[in-house]
Amino acid sequence: MAASSRAQVLRLYRALLRESQRFSSYNYRTYAIRRIRDAFRENKNIKDAEKIEELVNKAKANLEVIHRQV
């Protein structure tokens, strides 16, 4: 993975965690944080650039959903 895509993924990960901290409900907050961590851990060994790009786009869409709900 190129350094720029690694940095992009890390920024996205931190943004998702930061945004999910803003949920007022404890249950929503802990569920969102757990799902984010699990998803990133599950996909940490993927090397295919197209698959990485697909997952990054999916995570960006999820970030927008979290942003709208908070």
Side-chain angles (χ1 to χ4, degrees), residues 40-64:
F40 275 80
R41 281 187 192 129
E42 180 181 318
N43 296 314
K44 73 179 182 179
N45 294 323
I46 294 179
K47 304 292 184 208
D48 182 28
E50 289 180 17
K51 181 69 174 168
I52 291 171
E53 188 64 32
E54 176 185 324
L55 290 168
V56 165
N57 290 334
K58 184 177 175 184
K60 286 179 182 178
N62 287 336
L63 179 59
E64 290 300 317

Side-chain angles (χ1 to χ4, degrees), residues 11-70:
R11 276 194 306 271
L12 186 56
Y13 177 72
R14 285 192 296 264
L16 282 163
L17 289 177
R18 201 175 313 117
E19 199 64 30
S20 64
Q21 288 289 339
R22 297 178 57 206
F23 277 117
S24 58
S25 170
Y26 172 80
N27 290 332
Y28 285 136
R29 187 171 50 245
T30 56
Y31 176 75
I33 292 169
R34 187 175 66 244
R35 286 292 300 134
I36 292 165
R37 288 182 178 154
D38 289 347
F40 275 80
R41 281 187 192 129
E42 180 181 318
N43 296 314
K44 73 179 182 179
N45 294 323
I46 294 179
K47 304 292 184 208
D48 182 28
E50 289 180 17
K51 181 69 174 168
I52 291 171
E53 188 64 32
E54 176 185 324
L55 290 168
V56 165
N57 290 334
K58 184 177 175 184
K60 286 179 182 178
N62 287 336
L63 179 59
E64 290 300 317
V65 169
I66 292 172
H67 187 68
R68 283 193 305 263
Q69 290 179 350
V70 172

